[in-house]
């Protein structure tokens, strides 16, 4: 995962500026200044010139405002018009994730490539070891015929000068399901039928070209409408996001203007209870194993790529669902905003959870905190709900669900916690119907669990430490 | 011996814009460096003015913009060189 990455900061700055303008009720007028202010003439441009930089920012803004960016027509429409349309609820974006083609640098097709460090040595191990005869020598230097190359990497391994490098396409490299590929125009395209919304590509693209659909405008509108009741339900991973106590963090969220803040961990109490009961029932029926179902990227992976695992995924709903239901039971008219580190939750909420009105990321939450001048560290402690146990807050990190289930069903079963959907874990899972590795299997698409979710605000080391502190209490 | 005055912004803007770990960096400095510093934390060093980008710190009265956890150590060491 990339930290200290300027593309990520660009996105955050855009979010902050947009939420600030919203709060000042100046979005329509002010939005056009953002690209100029962020890329002034006297600063060195990132791409060829400030104009290209600003043009890219314009596209990213349009994406945040909730419009599809593929349409060429958007070049003719001023930002103010998009802003007005967004405020009027006329944003049309359907895709949860889209590629800002103007920003996508159309990275070179991933390949092995001979650099000019090649000395054309007498040994020529690259030539000798290439199984496909893809290497030839021109002017005393090695060169790879791309049509013949099968990317086995042997040449690169044997070159004593490290002269042969692999140039990856970063987003394609990290996608666990090959859902993102180059189109004819050279830029990347996401196949909706394959994508599981793990968010890896978005996190990795060094141009910040892959943008999620934002709901900041809708959330802002509800917060600022005195006739609406709006309730935030932050995911357990929230406790890792600030240098503050859980109580302070919850009251900071409330200070933005939410009428109420209810921990998703409260819903995790229901998930743990139901999941434990379901697990015991399935074991009783003689089923070989059961996996969790609270990570929507994992569930998406099963649905789209591993149907043989489907019968073994629990039917219990995620903590988000139960938390939202509890809120809606108490306040049927309230709007519910899930706040989390997760891109796939946007998909889950939209497809399966009518009780959740909006999904907001921790990054977007951070933008609200800045715009509303909230300093988490100085916020007062909000009393925590005594119903919520540390096992439920523990859902924030990998192993948390397993711990909660073991707590409920005892130590008599074999358990396993899988982090990340890398090749190894994908194979392991696909084999499990034939060869179960354990009776209870927790699966989190993110390495480390939600604390390492793709829309996190705090760096991982800090987040882990803060969660540890929160759970010790 | 004179101490170096170091003010770290722990405000929300700086936190969100990449300064989340600045406090950690300072708190984990070795004793032989800490003893030469007068550290204080500020809720905001006045971001939003000018074109400079957060996170900000102030060292001996000078404001430094765009500080990262790596550059912070460098900045402190440089300033210490003049003192020690
Ligand atoms: S979100 Fe995940 S599955 Fe979808 S394209 Fe990106 S990396 Fe692939
Ligand atoms: S591990 Fe957590 S943050 Fe990551 S995709 Fe799954 S639910 Fe979302
Ligand atoms: S928040 Fe750091 S200078 Fe304002």
């Amino acid at each position: 995962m990339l930290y200290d990455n300027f593309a990520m900061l660009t996105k955050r700055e855009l979010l902050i500026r947009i939420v600030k303008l919203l709060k000042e009720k100046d979005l329509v007028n002010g939005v056009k200044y953002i690209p100029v202010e962020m890329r002034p003439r006297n600063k060195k441009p990132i791409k060829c010139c400030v104009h290209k930089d600003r043009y890219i920012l314009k596209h990213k803004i349009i994406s945040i405002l909730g419009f599809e960016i593929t349409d060429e027509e958007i070049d003719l429409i001023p930002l103010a018009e998009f802003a007005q349309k967004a405020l009027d609820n006329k944003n049309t974006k359907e895709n949860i994730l889209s590629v800002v083609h103007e920003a996508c640098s159309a990275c070179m097709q991933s390949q092995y490539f001979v650099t000019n460090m090649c000395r054309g040595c007498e040994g020529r191990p690259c030539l000798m070891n290439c199984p496909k005869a893809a290497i030839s020598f021109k002017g005393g230097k090695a060169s790879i015929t791309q049509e013949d190359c099968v990317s086995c990497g042997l040449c690169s391994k044997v070159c004593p000068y490290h002269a042969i490098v692999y140039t990856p396409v970063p987003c394609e490299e990290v996608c666990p399901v090959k859902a993102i590929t180059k189109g004819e125009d050279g830029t990347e395209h996401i196949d909706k039928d394959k994508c599981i919304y793990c968010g890896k590509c978005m996190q990795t693209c060094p141009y910040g070209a892959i943008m999620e659909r934002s709901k900041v405008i809708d959330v802002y509108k509800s917060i600022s409408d005195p006739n609406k009741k709006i309730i935030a339900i932050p995911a357990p991973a929230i406790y890792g996001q600030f240098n503050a106590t859980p109580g302070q963090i919850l009251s900071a969220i409330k200070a933005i203007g939410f009428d109420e803040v209810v921990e998703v961990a409260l819903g995790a109490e229901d998930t743990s209870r139901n999941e434990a009961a379901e697990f015991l029932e399935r074991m009783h029926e003689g089923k070989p194993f059961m996996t969790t179902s609270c990570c929507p990227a994992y569930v998406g992976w099963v649905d789209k790529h591993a149907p043989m695992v489907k019968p073994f995924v629990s039917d219990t709903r995620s903590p988000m669902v139960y938390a939202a239901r509890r809120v809606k039971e108490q306040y049927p008219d309230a709007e519910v905003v899930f706040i989390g580190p997760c891109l796939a939750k946007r998909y889950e909420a939209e497809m399966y959870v009518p009780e959740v009105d909006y999904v907001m990321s921790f990054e977007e939450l951070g933008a609200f905190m800045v715009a509303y001048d909230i300093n988490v560290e100085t916020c007062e402690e909000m009393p925590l709900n005594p119903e919520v146990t540390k096992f439920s807050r523990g859902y924030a990190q990998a192993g948390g669900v397993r711990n909660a289930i073991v707590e409920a069903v005892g130590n008599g079963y074999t358990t396993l916690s899988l982090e990340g959907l890398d090749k190894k874990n994908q194979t392991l899972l696909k084999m499990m119907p034939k060869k179960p590795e354990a009776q209870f299997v927790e699966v989190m698409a993110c390495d480390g669990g939600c604390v390492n979710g793709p829309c996190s605000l705090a760096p991982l080391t800090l987040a882990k430490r803060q969660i540890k502190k929160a759970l010790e209490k | 011996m004179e101490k170096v005055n170091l003010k770290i912004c722990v405000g929300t803007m700086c936190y969100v814009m990449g300064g989340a770990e600045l406090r950690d960096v300072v708190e984990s400095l070795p004793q032989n460096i800490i003893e030469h510093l007068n550290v204080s934390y500020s809720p905001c060093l006045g971001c939003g003015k000018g074109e400079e980008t957060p996170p900000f710190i102030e060292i001996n009265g000078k404001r430094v913009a765009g500080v990262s956890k790596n550059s912070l150590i460098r900045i402190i060491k440089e300033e210490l060189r003049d003192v020690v």
Side-chain angles (χ1 to χ4, degrees), chain A residues 4 6 16 32 34 37 66 84 86 91 108 123 126 137 161 215 235-237 239 244 272 348 393 407-408 430 433 449:
Chain A
D4 297 297
F6 293 108
I16 291 171
K32 62 173 177 285
I34 296 179
E37 281 172 8
Q84 190 58 54
N91 37 7
M108 239 192 324
C126 54
F137 275 75
Y161 295 106
K215 288 280 176 195
Y239 311 115
S272 301
E348 181 191 354
R393 297 201 179 103
E407 172 71 10
K430 284 183 180 168

Side-chain angles (χ1 to χ4, degrees), chain A residues 370 375, chain B residues 8-15 42-48 54-57 63:
Chain A
V370 174
N375 199 328
Chain B
I8 302 285
C9 179
V10 289
T12 315
M13 174 66 111
C14 291
Y15 187 94
S42 157
C44 183
L45 293 171
C47 52
F56 293 101
I57 62 152
R63 200 162 96 131

Side-chain angles (χ1 to χ4, degrees), chain A residues 289 291 298 301-302 306-313 429-431 433:
Chain A
F289 74 106
T291 83
Y298 162 61
W301 174 77
V302 173
M308 65 293 240
V309 185
K310 187 76 193 165
F312 305 97
V313 178
L429 279 161
K430 284 183 180 168
M431 295 293 292

